[in-house]
Amino acid sequence: MSTSPFVPATWSFYELFQGFVHAPSYHLIFEVLLIVWIIRLVFFAKSYNPLEHIALTAQEKEELVAEWTPDPLVPYTPPECPGLQALENVVVSGKVGKYVVVNGKRCLNMASLNFLNLIGSPEIEEVAVKSVMKYGVGSCGPRGFYGTVDVHLKLEEQIAKFMNVEEAALYAYNFATIASAIPSYSKRGDIIFCDEGVCFAIQKGLQASRSQLKYFKHNDMDDLEDLLVKQQEIDKKDVKKAKTIRRFLVVEGLYMNYGDICPLSKLVELKYKYKVRLFIDETMSFGVLGDHGRGVTEHFNIPVSDIDLITASLENSIGSVGGVCLGTKYVVDHQRLSGLGYCFSASLPPMLAAAASAALKIMENEPNRLKRLRTMCEKVHNEFSKLQGLKISQQMLSAIFHLRLAAPSGDRIHDQSLLQTIVDKARDDGIALTIARYLEKDEIFLPPPSIRIAVNCDITDAEIKQASSVLQKLCEATL
């Protein structure tokens, strides 16, 4: 008896028929339906033609157009929203120094983060002009693609030496520095402990890392330690998994949104006790804290080697553009390969790198600027603490203060509107101020509304009293 090549040779057609007869009825029905469906698809299904379309009559087209309501390009904003006022033209003419011309009026500048008053320095301008004549105005390429110019290497070496670290990596944009650094090291599955008060750039870096985020209350070390203890207990339950998880602690040296200093001594203690890596963003503290402007580590007299990674800004005290990552050669070299802002952004224009190098040299050679800044910070804090209706942030050594309503209404729009009124009228009286601006829908922990005050090291006692007098008059008239 012949056998089918598709069945074992030991099977006969009779045995196959018997198996078919004794098979469950639902099984047979399913197979029949499946065979019918396959035949329909192969022989009777209509093939898809992307060019085929149904022709509509002119009347049908008009009806569809009449029914269509397009979504607005910009979402509706109520007229009373203070954000609309920020869109009004506030035009600056000339250099942004201690005084600034706004809409044609000369004002004392307490808004720009020009802490050491290096913007407009003749010495820096001369270096920048020479650099333009030699290099032009831009690099037109990332650092790894013919974007590295000798002045970049010189500036990196200069900053690394100044901060007593092994290596420095220069970024063309300060916001991208910490936002690129965090996801370069912390990945999905890792854990980041972070202060609730961190700035928006850090928040974007945290989101990009896709790590597990655990926030502690602003500058509350007890709350941070509670989180670390809880994580330690979780790790004990699965030691094998815990060995694969990296843990990071991210803070600011001087908080942009609150104007206070991180308790670095306690942070370093917790770092070693609970085995976490400590990242510090010194955007606001570089060139402000410490006898030489080295930031929060010098302020607390803590070795910089106790910090795993430091990021600093060249856009505030230095008066240029860009940011820098600082640390050991092993750590910073990883940035050069993994930092998206470093690898894919055009490098810092040589003119600005040369200007930053000259500004850093001035900061080193003129320590009196830092002493004057600290003195003026204390005087501004003392004078503005007397304002009725407003309260100032507590840290006296900060070069950035926040004036908030002493009795907020609870309505954010209303409170912002009051503060904006004070800012606008102060500008009319010759004092340039600004509201602290936030992307309110994107902020993880939205700070309360405030007027942000920036201190310039060359401000005088008379100018401080003048600004205080103007603000007091406006508070009495507005609040």
Side-chain angles (χ1 to χ4, degrees):
M1 180 181 295
S2 63
T3 59
S4 170
F6 302 105
V7 298
T10 56
W11 286 17
S12 64
F13 286 113
Y14 175 77
E15 289 171 329
L16 290 174
F17 177 76
Q18 290 297 317
F20 179 79
V21 170
H22 295 291
S25 58
Y26 69 85
H27 192 276
L28 296 175
I29 294 172
F30 175 77
E31 288 187 346
V32 170
L33 292 175
L34 184 61
I35 293 172
V36 171
W37 181 256
I38 293 173
I39 293 173
R40 179 182 179 279
L41 288 176
V42 173
F43 296 103
F44 300 101
K46 188 177 181 180
S47 59
Y48 171 70
N49 183 5
L51 300 178
E52 184 179 357
H53 63 278
I54 301 175
L56 299 176
T57 64
Q59 182 179 356
E60 289 174 331
K61 291 179 181 179
E62 291 179 0
E63 291 176 352
L64 288 174
V65 171
E67 293 174 357
W68 180 60
T69 303
D71 293 332
L73 291 176
V74 179
Y76 171 74
T77 304
E80 66 274 10
C81 179
L84 286 179
Q85 300 173 3
L87 299 178
E88 297 178 358
N89 289 329
V90 180
V91 181
V92 174
S93 306
K95 298 176 182 178
V96 184
K98 187 177 73 168
Y99 279 86
V100 62
V101 178
V102 184
N103 294 344
K105 186 175 183 63
R106 186 171 183 265
C107 300
L108 176 65
N109 186 3
M110 301 195 77
S112 300
L113 306 177
N114 182 24
F115 303 136
L116 298 181
N117 199 28
L118 291 174
I119 296 178
S121 165
E123 182 179 345
I124 297 175
E125 287 183 351
E126 182 181 355
V127 171
V129 169
K130 290 181 179 179
S131 179
V132 168
M133 301 304 293
K134 180 178 181 180
Y135 300 104
V137 295
S139 62
C140 298
R143 290 291 299 273
F145 299 90
Y146 298 102
T148 295
V149 184
D150 54 0
V151 290
H152 295 141
L153 301 178
K154 176 184 176 183
L155 178 57
E156 287 176 339
E157 182 181 356
Q158 183 182 2
I159 294 177
K161 183 179 180 180
F162 174 73
M163 290 294 291
N164 297 318
V165 296
E166 294 180 5
E167 194 80 24
L170 188 63
Y171 280 72
Y173 181 33
N174 179 61
F175 187 97
T177 308
I178 187 64
S180 297
I182 293 174
S184 294
Y185 301 101
S186 184
K187 307 295 184 182
R188 186 189 298 275
D190 295 334
I191 299 174
I192 300 178
F193 299 91
C194 187
D195 192 293
E196 289 181 355
V198 294
C199 64
F200 193 64
I202 293 179
Q203 294 175 35
K204 292 292 103 178
L206 296 174
Q207 293 174 1
S209 72
R210 300 177 297 174
S211 303
Q212 183 182 354
L213 306 179
K214 297 191 176 184
Y215 290 95
F216 58 92
K217 297 176 184 177
H218 178 53
N219 266 352
D220 189 335
M221 296 299 98
D222 292 333
D223 190 36
L224 170 59
E225 188 161 16
D226 287 343
L227 291 176
L228 293 169
V229 169
K230 291 177 182 177
Q231 183 60 43
Q232 196 175 60
E233 294 172 353
I234 294 173
D235 292 342
K236 290 179 181 178
K237 296 178 182 179
D238 192 345
V239 178
K240 185 176 180 181
K241 180 182 178 181
K243 291 181 179 180
T244 65
I245 299 175
R246 293 173 295 183
R247 296 158 192 81
F248 299 86
L249 175 56
V250 180
V251 296
E252 288 183 72
L254 176 58
Y255 284 89
M256 181 188 300
N257 294 339
Y258 292 90
D260 50 8
I261 302 172
C262 71
L264 186 58
S265 301
K266 184 64 176 179
L267 288 167
V268 171
E269 176 188 333
L270 295 176
K271 158 193 160 72
Y272 287 113
K273 183 177 180 180
Y274 295 98
K275 306 296 188 295
V276 295
R277 296 172 172 89
L278 179 57
F279 288 5
I280 297 182
D281 179 28
E282 301 233 43
T283 292
M284 290 295 160
S285 51
F286 180 72
V288 173
L289 299 179
D291 292 338
H292 302 87
R294 295 190 177 98
V296 70
T297 52
E298 186 178 40
H299 174 73
F300 285 101
N301 195 26
I302 290 177
V304 71
S305 58
D306 286 337
I307 316 301
D308 295 282
L309 183 73
I310 294 175
T311 59
S313 173
L314 305 177
E315 299 178 1
N316 302 326
S317 297
I318 297 299
S320 183
V321 174
V324 62
C325 279
L326 304 158
T328 63
K329 180 176 175 57
Y330 175 78
V331 170
V332 174
D333 278 351
H334 179 75
Q335 275 282 294
R336 302 185 190 279
L337 298 175
S338 302
L340 297 182
Y342 182 92
C343 294
F344 301 108
S345 296
S347 63
L348 186 66
M351 170 189 68
L352 296 174
S357 180
L360 185 60
K361 188 177 296 183
I362 292 175
M363 190 171 76
E364 289 184 89
N365 296 336
E366 300 180 15
N368 283 335
R369 286 181 182 265
L370 291 159
K371 293 179 181 178
R372 293 201 308 269
L373 178 62
R374 283 191 291 272
T375 301
M376 292 301 108
C377 287
E378 293 180 6
K379 290 184 177 181
V380 169
H381 187 278
N382 290 334
E383 192 66 32
F384 282 28
S385 296
K386 303 173 185 177
L387 296 174
Q388 300 296 317
L390 296 175
K391 62 179 182 180
I392 194 169
S393 48
Q394 297 178 354
Q395 180 54 247
M396 295 182 65
L397 293 179
S398 172
I400 182 170
F401 298 112
H402 288 267
L403 292 174
R404 296 190 168 95
L405 293 174
S409 66
D411 183 344
R412 186 177 184 85
I413 292 180
H414 175 265
D415 292 348
Q416 280 187 316
S417 181
L418 287 177
L419 295 175
Q420 186 65 53
T421 300
I422 293 175
V423 168
D424 293 339
K425 292 182 177 179
R427 188 167 61 246
D428 295 336
D429 289 339
I431 307 297
L433 303 173
T434 183
I435 292 285
R437 302 289 180 187
Y438 307 99
L439 293 175
E440 297 186 3
K441 294 184 179 179
D442 296 322
E443 288 279 346
I444 299 176
F445 297 97
L446 184 62
S450 66
I451 298 174
R452 193 186 71 191
I453 304 294
V455 182
N456 187 301
C457 69
D458 288 333
I459 194 172
T460 64
D461 293 353
E463 289 165 339
I464 294 173
K465 289 185 179 297
Q466 176 197 359
S468 176
S469 176
V470 168
L471 281 173
Q472 185 57 60
K473 180 187 68 174
L474 293 175
C475 287
E476 293 172 356
T478 307
L479 303 181

